[in-house]
Amino acid sequence: MTVIENDYLKASISNRGAQLTSLYNKATGVEHMWQGDKSIWPWHSPNLFPVIGSLINNQIIVDGKPYTIEQRYGFARDWEFLTLESNRIHAKFSLPYCDKTMAMYPYKFDLHIFYDLMDNALRVTFKVINLDQKDIYFSIGGHPAFNVPFNPGENYEDYYLEFETEEPLHEHLLSAEGFFTGETQPVKMDGKNLRLTRHLFDRDALIFKNMHSRQVTIRSHKHQQSLSVQFPHFHYLGIWAKSCADFVCIEPWLGCADTQGQPKELSHKEGIQKLEHGHVFEACYYITI
């Protein structure tokens, strides 16, 4: 476990999946990350690579050949990352390709994940290095789960999500297997705000594509404490919670699940990222308390 801290925040990161497991607010004494209760949902903030969401037949297709990735959201969240750097306010982790990754995902890459404390904010940076002799294709994103309510004695329903801009939002519906159906439906908003309820996610995650907002803030009607996720580089957003669990996930993505029907070549998959030979990809999001 790697720990970084400054005067405002203390963050803990596990080498398994390079996953953020704790984000502690020193001023309020509040732990903001879901603590991974295995009886409900065992994760904290998994990092998603090289796919996001469900795959038809649990497979990607590269140059006409199928490759099996059993894990929904990709294999990175289960992998033991290397610690490349660590100091008081910064940590850097690496997942390089190997024979096991090549059997699932036939590209040579190095995935780096950085954590940097910046006053009352934590920056999470994804960096993908193409080590192959050809273009590589991937999806990438975060899945941080935040404790709601923040404080003992409060109610989940006292909280809401405030979007950066007021805009009509339509969720893209998923089948029971986790594939897009091609259907959408409007989300009931109160201006920029989406009320959190115990039944909001009865049909699975709310998934938004190409919305204008690039920030979502967790707020309460009862006090001024808040937590914001800023995602300037990400075009998809998932919002989700396990039924009746005391958390909400705000998930910035570059990529998404398969759509029902015939599987597509990875290079033609919706939201896929193309990284040319010899090039480096980088994107980040911020958690601000």
Side-chain angles (χ1 to χ4, degrees):
M1 188 72 67
T2 298
V3 177
I4 58 176
E5 63 179 300
N6 61 13
D7 293 339
Y8 304 91
L9 300 171
K10 181 178 180 180
S12 301
I13 306 106
S14 170
N15 284 80
R16 186 193 177 203
Q19 178 181 203
L20 177 67
T21 60
S22 173
L23 187 61
Y24 179 76
N25 185 336
K26 291 184 173 182
T28 61
V30 171
E31 170 58 67
H32 281 285
M33 301 308 299
W34 170 250
Q35 289 303 289
D37 184 336
K38 293 182 179 179
S39 68
I40 300 174
W41 190 65
W43 304 94
H44 308 269
S45 181
N47 294 303
L48 316 179
F49 176 88
V51 296
I52 289 174
S54 297
L55 299 171
I56 295 174
N57 302 321
N58 292 330
Q59 292 178 333
I60 59 172
I61 299 175
V62 178
D63 297 330
K65 181 179 177 180
Y67 295 84
T68 298
I69 300 178
E70 294 287 355
Q71 304 94 324
R72 192 179 186 189
Y73 291 108
F75 52 74
R77 64 179 182 170
D78 291 309
W79 219 272
E80 197 74 11
F81 278 63
L82 305 173
T83 303
L84 295 186
E85 300 172 0
S86 177
N87 60 37
R88 184 170 179 266
I89 60 171
H90 164 80
K92 177 181 177 181
F93 301 88
S94 168
L95 168 58
Y97 79 93
C98 63
D99 289 344
K100 288 184 179 179
T101 65
M102 292 285 286
M104 296 182 282
Y105 175 70
Y107 294 113
K108 296 178 180 179
F109 67 91
D110 196 354
L111 169 62
H112 292 175
I113 301 178
F114 303 73
Y115 293 91
D116 291 281
L117 287 173
M118 308 165 68
D119 293 331
N120 63 327
L122 176 69
R123 182 177 64 196
V124 183
T125 304
F126 300 116
K127 183 176 181 179
V128 182
I129 303 168
N130 184 350
L131 301 177
D132 219 314
Q133 298 301 310
K134 58 190 176 186
D135 298 340
I136 69 174
Y137 298 87
F138 61 90
S139 294
I140 198 164
H143 199 310
F146 303 107
N147 285 327
V148 174
F150 293 165
N151 307 301
E154 297 178 345
N155 296 315
Y156 192 84
E157 292 81 2
D158 292 335
Y159 285 75
Y160 61 96
L161 301 180
E162 179 188 79
F163 287 71
E164 181 183 18
T165 62
E166 185 172 344
E167 57 184 305
L169 291 177
H170 290 78
E171 61 169 314
H172 292 255
L173 300 182
L174 296 169
S175 68
E177 297 77 25
F179 305 125
F180 285 116
T181 64
E183 302 172 291
T184 64
Q185 68 179 19
V187 175
K188 186 177 181 181
M189 303 287 290
D190 179 11
K192 296 192 297 183
N193 300 334
L194 174 63
R195 186 166 67 95
L196 290 177
T197 72
R198 293 298 188 185
H199 297 288
L200 183 60
F201 308 105
D202 282 353
R203 288 193 56 165
D204 209 332
L206 306 183
I207 299 175
F208 305 109
K209 302 180 181 182
N210 295 312
M211 65 183 191
H212 296 296
S213 294
R214 287 295 182 269
Q215 175 175 301
V216 175
T217 302
I218 304 172
R219 297 192 183 277
S220 170
H221 295 292
K222 300 296 181 68
H223 55 69
Q224 296 302 309
Q225 298 175 53
S226 66
L227 180 149
S228 296
V229 180
Q230 298 93 14
F231 43 98
H233 305 128
F234 295 83
H235 305 304
Y236 296 78
L237 183 73
I239 298 174
W240 175 79
K242 193 79 171 180
S243 179
C244 296
D246 287 335
F247 69 83
V248 65
C249 296
I250 301 174
E251 310 169 38
W253 298 340
L254 282 167
C256 57
D258 282 350
T259 297
Q260 289 183 148
Q262 293 297 316
K264 294 183 177 180
E265 276 274 341
L266 184 65
S267 60
H268 293 99
K269 185 173 161 62
E270 181 182 353
I272 204 69
Q273 303 300 299
K274 176 184 176 180
L275 185 60
E276 296 178 350
H277 164 62
H279 285 224
V280 175
F281 163 94
E282 193 167 301
C284 62
Y285 70 92
Y286 301 80
I287 303 168
T288 303
I289 309 298

